[in-house]
């Protein structure tokens, strides 16, 4: 694949998770890459910075489509490969997911367990969930065994440290001599018009590309879904793996990172409000996390953060291609929703295949939507040539 990309020129707009992954991957394959980002290298305004970065296809199968689950399964071993190739270490673990519930929520838990068991039977790549009694729970996660007498264990699921990863990818961009244009906002269509030297322009801006997606001929609207997380420093808590609490109002997740840091979240609000976290959300998250482990009572709040995840109307990711004979081709990648870290290696692999060969067998196998979409309305005309890529 390297020879395919050697001496090719790519412009990537947006230096969030998928933008950085593709910039590094293309540069390592011999391509010349220019990365444009309206913000700075710290990714302070990126949805990728405000995330728990859990890699949990079976757990997520309860609320998402089968193709997203397949992308998550594909991505788990790829994350290990990607991280192993980085110069700067990134925290990564694959010790499974723990599901807990209080006695009064047993009926909700039973429905959840039945759902996951059915999904694992229908997908042979998923490892069946394991029911835990008090003894098994004591062995797997002793720090919560006093408060819970049963649970569910999902083997092989994992997580990584999202902020360490963004920093490590930044180091890699420097090592690979990627031309990074920080604090430079630019429209992909303007790049196509003014810079004919590029072979491809890749739009990886997430919610920043909203106007462009709304201008597509078939109006595949892009929206933001607000998420809120709290980062805690809790030395008295020793959770070994991501833990989810089944609850009728706020089913929280707790993702343990290095140095006794925990990322706690649950909220998913149909809103593009970027304002600080509400008192209600903070109280619900903190109250729920305390019911999991009393040690959180003495935790220190490091950060309360909010961000909006880029989401298409079907809550599924998509790649849209527009090819023109007289300007760089355009690839638009978006709609990763709440599954950005879980599926981004799969999205990256599909994009690289398209850039290399014009189609992607991986996308067909995983069920990733690839559209040979028309250009945004303001750029359509007799010169616009839409080429099918699958």
């Amino acid at each position: 694949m390297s020879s395919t990309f050697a001496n090719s020129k790519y412009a990537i707009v947006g230096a969030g998770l998928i933008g950085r992954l593709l910039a590094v991957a293309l540069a390592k394959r011999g391509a010349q890459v220019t990365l444009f980002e309206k913000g700075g290298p710290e990714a302070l305004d990126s949805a990728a910075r405000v995330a728990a970065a859990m890699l949990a296809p079976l757990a997520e199968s309860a609320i998402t489509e089968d193709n997203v689950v397949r992308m998550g399964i594909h991505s788990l071993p790829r994350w290990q490969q990607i991280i192993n190739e980085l110069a700067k270490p990134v925290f990564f673990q694959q010790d499974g997911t723990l599901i807990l519930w209080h006695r009064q929520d047993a009926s909700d838990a039973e429905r959840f367990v039945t759902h996951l068991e059915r999904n694992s039977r229908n997908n042979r790549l998923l490892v069946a969930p394991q029911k835990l009694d008090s003894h098994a729970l004591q062995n797997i996660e002793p720090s919560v065994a006093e408060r819970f007498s049963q649970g569910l264990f999902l083997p092989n699921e994992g997580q990584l440290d999202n902020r360490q990863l963004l920093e490590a990818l930044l180091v890699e961009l420097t090592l690979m001599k990627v031309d990074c244009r920080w604090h430079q906002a630019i429209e992909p269509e303007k790049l196509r018009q003014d810079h004919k030297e590029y072979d491809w322009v890749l739009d990886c801006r997430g919610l920043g590309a909203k106007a462009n997606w709304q201008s597509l001929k078939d109006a595949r609207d892009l929206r933001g879904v607000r998420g809120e997380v709290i980062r805690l420093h809790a030395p008295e808590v020793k959770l070994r793996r991501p833990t989810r609490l089944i609850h009728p109002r706020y089913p929280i997740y707790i993702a343990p990172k290095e140095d006794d840091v925990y990322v706690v979240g649950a909220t998913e609000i149909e809103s593009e409000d970027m304002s600080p976290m509400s008192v209600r959300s903070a109280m619900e998250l903190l109250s729920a996390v305390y019911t999991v482990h009393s040690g959180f009572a003495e935790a220190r709040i490091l950060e309360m953060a909010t961000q909006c995840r880029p989401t298409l109307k079907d809550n599924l990711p998509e790649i849209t291609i527009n090819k023109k004979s007289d300007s760089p081709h355009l690839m638009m990648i978006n709609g990763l929703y709440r599954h950005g870290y879980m599926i981004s290696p799969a999205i990256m692999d599909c994009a690289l295949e398209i850039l290399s060969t014009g189609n992607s067998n991986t996308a067909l196998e995983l069920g990733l939507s690839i559209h040979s979409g028309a250009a945004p309305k303001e750029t359509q005309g007799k010169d616009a040539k839409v080429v099918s890529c699958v």
Side-chain angles (χ1 to χ4, degrees):
M1 185 180 287
S2 299
S3 60
T4 304
F5 295 103
N7 301 317
S8 296
K9 295 184 177 181
Y10 298 87
I12 299 177
V13 185
L17 175 60
I18 195 67
R20 293 187 189 209
L21 283 172
L22 279 167
V24 169
L26 287 167
K28 287 188 174 183
R29 287 161 172 78
Q32 297 181 42
V33 181
T34 304
L35 180 62
F36 296 88
E37 168 55 46
K38 69 176 182 179
E42 304 86 1
L44 296 179
D45 296 325
S46 172
R49 184 175 172 81
V50 182
M54 294 181 295
L55 316 174
L58 179 54
E60 289 295 306
S61 74
I63 57 173
T64 192
E65 302 296 330
D66 182 62
N67 58 343
V68 175
V69 175
R70 296 200 300 273
M71 293 177 218
I73 295 170
H74 172 96
S75 297
L76 261 171
R78 289 289 288 119
W79 268 127
Q80 186 70 74
Q81 296 168 1
I82 292 166
I83 289 172
N84 287 344
E85 293 173 359
L86 297 176
K88 188 173 182 179
V90 174
F91 169 73
F92 173 89
Q93 67 167 201
Q94 200 171 338
D95 296 331
T97 299
L98 179 65
I99 311 293
L100 299 172
W101 57 89
H102 296 293
R103 184 173 297 128
Q104 63 269 26
D105 301 317
S107 58
D108 290 337
E110 185 176 351
R111 287 191 292 271
F112 183 82
V113 172
T114 300
H115 195 164
L116 294 194
E117 289 176 337
R118 181 174 63 250
N119 292 345
S120 66
R121 288 194 300 269
N122 293 337
N123 188 333
R124 60 181 179 81
L125 297 178
L126 289 172
V127 179
Q130 301 173 9
K131 293 182 179 179
L132 306 175
D133 58 18
S134 58
H135 179 72
L137 186 59
Q138 175 70 39
N139 290 334
I140 285 181
E141 201 67 72
S143 62
V144 298
E146 289 186 5
R147 290 200 171 194
F148 298 89
S149 60
Q150 58 185 329
L152 192 70
F153 179 60
L154 314 184
N156 297 341
E157 298 198 326
Q159 64 156 328
L160 56 83
D161 188 304
N162 58 314
R163 296 186 179 180
Q164 287 183 9
L165 177 70
L166 292 172
E167 292 173 3
L169 290 172
L170 181 63
V171 169
E172 217 68 22
L173 292 171
T174 302
L175 294 175
M176 300 306 300
K177 295 181 170 55
V178 173
D179 182 8
C180 296
R181 311 284 181 89
W182 306 112
H183 304 290
Q184 186 168 341
I186 191 165
E187 285 291 325
E189 284 301 323
K190 182 170 178 58
L191 275 176
R192 298 178 83 191
Q193 294 168 11
D194 298 346
H195 295 272
K196 307 295 186 182
E197 70 271 19
Y198 294 119
D199 297 290
W200 282 86
V201 173
L202 279 59
D203 187 350
C204 302
R205 291 176 295 164
L207 198 56
K210 182 176 180 178
N212 299 73
W213 282 84
Q214 288 179 329
S215 66
L216 289 173
K217 183 173 63 176
D218 52 357
R220 293 191 294 280
D221 287 347
L222 181 69
R223 72 188 193 280
V225 176
R226 176 180 168 100
E228 302 171 324
V229 301
I230 300 178
R231 296 178 72 89
L232 302 172
H233 180 239
E236 295 184 23
V237 180
K238 299 299 180 184
L239 290 178
R240 300 174 179 174
R241 55 183 55 78
T243 300
R244 299 185 182 216
L245 177 68
I246 295 176
H247 190 282
R249 285 185 56 199
Y250 30 90
I252 67 164
Y253 58 76
I254 306 168
K257 308 303 181 183
E258 291 183 309
D259 301 322
D260 299 315
V261 172
Y262 294 83
V263 178
V264 181
T267 56
E268 188 168 293
I269 304 167
E270 285 287 344
S271 168
E272 294 183 7
D273 177 13
M274 295 279 197
S275 64
M277 183 179 295
S278 68
V279 170
R280 176 178 178 176
S281 293
M283 290 178 64
E284 289 181 345
L285 286 175
L286 294 173
S287 296
V289 78
Y290 174 70
T291 70
V292 173
H293 195 296
S294 60
F296 281 113
E298 294 302 319
R300 296 299 182 259
I301 299 174
L302 302 177
E303 178 182 322
M304 292 184 178
T306 61
Q307 190 49 262
C308 290
R309 304 142 172 159
T311 310
L312 293 169
K313 61 183 179 181
D314 54 5
N315 294 349
L316 297 176
E318 181 179 313
I319 296 178
T320 292
I321 307 295
N322 171 242
K323 292 187 176 182
K324 294 176 66 176
S325 58
D326 60 345
S327 65
H329 303 321
L330 174 66
M331 174 181 288
M332 301 170 67
I333 303 174
N334 222 311
L336 274 66
Y337 183 38
R338 59 180 280 158
H339 304 115
Y341 282 93
M342 191 178 88
I343 66 175
S344 51
I347 304 294
M348 179 187 71
D349 288 346
C350 294
L352 291 173
E353 285 183 1
I354 294 169
L355 295 173
S356 174
T357 68
N359 57 62
S360 172
N361 290 329
T362 301
L364 290 173
E365 293 170 1
L366 299 179
L368 173 64
S369 293
I370 310 292
H371 286 266
S372 52
K377 291 177 181 177
E378 64 270 21
T379 64
Q380 290 177 15
K382 65 180 181 179
D383 296 328
K385 182 180 180 183
V386 178
V387 180
S388 175
C389 59
V390 291

